Amino acid sequence: MDGSGVPGDAPAVDELSSAFRVYEVRTDGDKLLYIGRPAVSSDVLEREVWPLFHEYDYDVSLQQQPSRGPQLMAGNYALVAKPRSLGLNGIPWTNVVLAVLTVLSTLFVGTVWYGIDVGNDPLSLLEAWPFTAAVLGVLGTHELGHYVMSRYHRVDASLPYFIPFPSIFGTMGAVIKMRGRIPDRKALFDIGVAGPLAGLGATVVVTIIGLHLDPVRVPFELSFNHPLMLQVLSAITGQPLTYSAPNKIFNPVVFGGWLGMFITFLNLLPVGQLDGGHIVRAMFGKRTETVSAAVPAGLFGLGAYLFVARSGQAVYIWFIWGVLALGLAYAGPTDPIDDSPLDRKRFAVGLLTFLLGLACFTPIPIEVAAA
């Protein structure tokens, strides 16, 4: 399409006139190129035109030259609008394969927790399904919280990617990939907070169920340090967390809830691209850089204190996360298009979420010793 004609499902030229003077509209495959000159600075231009294209389900960027197609006259620019696709384009095979591998990984680890011998009967692997359901239920619910809110705010995001790893957990967690820009602080907050709150809801359910199941014996000495939230759930249900018999621990389903609490605390660290980083960026704007800078120092300080007070392998996790936090702080948070302040209700929800996160914290999570 040449000339100034614009399809009916895209912004009209006159809707852009206050921020971008359009000389011509062209197509380049599925893209629309609005060729012209900015009438305002690039920051103001983005704030003006991005929400407009977002309403028409387009992602837009300002380019000196288009990636393909006819060359522009010297000094001209193009607003390159590409249709957004929020649905699934075919079967997400990578997600499916990783999910299947993670199911197998957690089943394998679950057989260790339950003391199941799969040597003579490989199908007995399936008997560890409660552990797998608990762990993946908590992780999956957390990530689906992010995904649902992303779809609600029309931000392009992938389905969860589970990460198989045959450790004591059977997995290294799950993530979703955000492919679209965040329109405003409300969307950034909602997407960031939805994961921890949804995950904690699943964690509470899984933990209560697990506390009512029979304890098990494990072939190693394992000491869990219980976060406040787990202690509260134990008190409410009247179920114990410790047993006098050697190597006897609570049902592995409870460990799925314990893992959910631990991951929630880590995700709520207020730095970079973590959920906590999204939440504080939405709550406090660009002032969060000060908070993010303090997080690595706090983690290194916690690790150093515990190393002196309780020398042991379990404290090294805080040094590892201190290094990770440094990288996340350097990369910076996600900046929304519209940086208008957050409303009071969301601010209150944010504070409550961080308090719940603190209830999931324990300084030395796990201590393991050879039997």
Side-chain angles (χ1 to χ4, degrees):
M1 173 180 59
D2 293 325
S4 60
V6 178
D9 61 349
V13 168
D14 57 1
E15 294 181 271
L16 308 174
S17 59
S18 64
F20 193 83
R21 298 187 179 93
V22 180
Y23 305 151
E24 183 181 0
V25 179
R26 302 175 184 171
T27 58
D28 179 14
D30 63 345
K31 300 176 184 177
L32 282 175
L33 277 61
Y34 292 75
I35 300 168
R37 298 281 294 173
V40 293
S41 68
S42 59
D43 290 343
V44 175
L45 175 66
E46 184 177 51
R47 289 197 300 270
E48 290 286 333
V49 306
W50 194 92
L52 178 61
F53 280 93
H54 185 74
E55 287 298 315
Y56 284 91
D57 286 328
Y58 281 90
D59 285 323
V60 64
S61 61
L62 179 67
Q63 298 183 13
Q64 179 78 44
Q65 296 282 351
S67 57
R68 295 189 305 274
Q71 295 294 308
L72 301 181
M73 294 173 56
N76 279 357
Y77 290 80
L79 285 175
V80 181
K82 183 177 181 180
R84 286 187 297 119
S85 176
L86 298 181
L88 297 178
N89 296 318
I91 300 175
W93 286 111
T94 301
N95 303 77
V96 171
V97 170
L98 287 174
V100 171
L101 291 175
T102 306
V103 168
L104 294 174
S105 178
T106 51
L107 283 172
F108 173 75
V109 171
T111 62
V112 178
W113 286 98
Y114 287 108
I116 299 171
D117 183 6
V118 296
N120 296 324
D121 182 12
L123 288 180
S124 63
L125 181 78
L126 300 177
E127 296 177 19
W129 72 264
F131 175 77
T132 294
V135 171
L136 298 191
V138 167
L139 295 177
T141 302
H142 179 117
E143 296 304 329
L144 284 175
H146 292 312
Y147 181 77
V148 169
M149 277 294 104
S150 297
R151 293 297 300 270
Y152 175 79
H153 286 285
R154 298 163 66 191
V155 175
D156 191 12
S158 71
L159 287 172
Y161 292 92
F162 289 93
I163 306 172
F165 191 75
S167 64
I168 192 173
F169 309 110
T171 176
M172 291 186 68
V175 296
I176 67 170
K177 183 179 180 181
M178 305 296 297
R179 295 186 288 245
R181 293 293 305 275
I182 307 297
D184 50 36
R185 284 202 204 179
K186 291 181 180 179
L188 180 62
F189 179 87
D190 291 350
I191 294 170
V193 82
L197 292 182
L200 278 177
T203 292
V204 170
V205 172
V206 163
T207 302
I208 291 175
I209 292 173
L211 286 170
H212 286 88
L213 298 177
D214 293 334
V216 298
R217 291 183 183 273
V218 292
F220 45 78
E221 294 180 13
L222 188 65
S223 175
F224 284 92
N225 291 314
H226 308 134
L228 176 61
M229 182 173 291
L230 183 55
Q231 296 177 44
V232 169
L233 292 176
S234 174
I236 291 174
T237 59
Q239 300 298 316
L241 291 173
T242 58
Y243 301 88
S244 58
N247 293 6
K248 192 175 184 180
I249 64 168
F250 46 60
N251 192 278
V253 170
V254 178
F255 182 69
W258 183 96
L259 178 61
M261 297 176 200
F262 184 58
I263 288 178
T264 295
F265 171 76
L266 293 178
N267 269 295
L268 284 175
L269 290 173
V271 61
Q273 300 294 312
L274 294 178
D275 297 342
H278 294 325
I279 296 170
V280 295
R281 175 63 180 83
M283 293 172 65
F284 300 106
K286 294 186 177 180
R287 289 176 293 172
T288 56
E289 293 179 1
T290 303
V291 177
S292 296
V295 171
L299 292 172
F300 285 130
L302 175 61
Y305 169 77
L306 293 174
F307 182 78
V308 174
R310 293 282 303 276
S311 180
Q313 60 182 358
V315 305
Y316 289 106
I317 185 173
W318 304 121
F319 293 115
I320 295 171
W321 270 90
V323 174
L324 292 174
L326 273 177
L328 291 168
Y330 179 79
T334 295
D335 291 324
I337 301 295
D338 182 358
D339 213 5
S340 300
L342 203 64
D343 58 272
R344 292 183 178 180
K345 289 183 179 179
R346 283 182 171 85
F347 205 94
V349 171
L351 293 177
L352 175 61
T353 301
F354 282 119
L355 288 175
L356 291 173
L358 285 175
C360 296
F361 170 69
T362 179
I364 302 179
I366 305 174
E367 295 177 271
V368 183

